[in-house]
Amino acid sequence: MNKSTFLRFENYLVENLKFTVNYNFDKESKNRIIPELAFGLIKSKDDSKKYNVIIGFSYNKENNQPFLLEGILRGFFTIGEDGSGEILLNAFAILFPYVRSLITEISRYSSIVPIIIPTVNITKAIEDLNSIKIDSSNYREPL
């Protein structure tokens, strides 16, 4: 019987989102377009093929943007029987465009010049999958 290697993106959820206008924004100072990023990987304790991939992002005062923004996106993924954990690096790359789009849309609809984040090599940003693993008690099924 052939075992399969695949990564299936089931869905995603915006779990947390906070937006505040930054009245201390300095138009003359340099700003940082790419937000601070945090990553998490959660394996289901009931099904070893199911994972949650978490990307957190934040624009704080040091980013010098016209807003302060933080949020968390959770992606729901399934891997095949032969799928190693390393295939999950691709899950972060699949989920990141949703982060980029969300930031662009929020900035656009807030009457601020839209922030368009350039493409980022997420797999290079994650040095080690083991360092971002989160306890399986935090695993969630899609809504």
Side-chain angles (χ1 to χ4, degrees), residues 16-29:
N16 184 356
L17 191 59
K18 182 180 178 185
F19 175 91
T20 307
V21 173
N22 180 8
Y23 290 106
N24 296 319
F25 172 62
D26 183 358
K27 293 179 186 177
E28 305 303 318
S29 295

Side-chain angles (χ1 to χ4, degrees), residues 21-109:
V21 173
N22 180 8
Y23 290 106
N24 296 319
F25 172 62
D26 183 358
K27 293 179 186 177
E28 305 303 318
S29 295
K30 188 175 181 179
N31 60 9
R32 184 167 186 243
I33 292 187
I34 298 175
E36 301 293 324
L37 297 170
F39 305 100
L41 179 63
I42 307 170
K43 185 177 187 177
S44 169
K45 60 184 171 187
D46 299 325
D47 186 344
S48 63
K49 297 178 192 112
K50 291 188 174 190
Y51 288 84
N52 290 166
V53 167
I54 309 290
I55 299 180
F57 60 91
S58 172
Y59 283 105
N60 53 35
K61 291 178 184 173
E62 289 76 32
N63 293 103
N64 192 36
Q65 290 294 340
F67 56 84
L68 306 175
L69 178 65
E70 59 185 43
I72 297 173
L73 266 74
R74 181 186 297 253
F76 303 95
F77 291 87
T78 304
I79 62 172
E81 291 180 37
D82 281 349
S84 72
E86 295 304 311
I87 197 171
L88 289 165
L89 281 172
N90 294 322
F92 291 95
I94 291 168
L95 190 59
F96 189 68
Y98 293 89
V99 172
R100 291 176 63 223
S101 177
L102 181 64
I103 291 169
T104 299
E105 293 301 310
I106 289 172
S107 60
R108 182 168 68 106
Y109 285 116

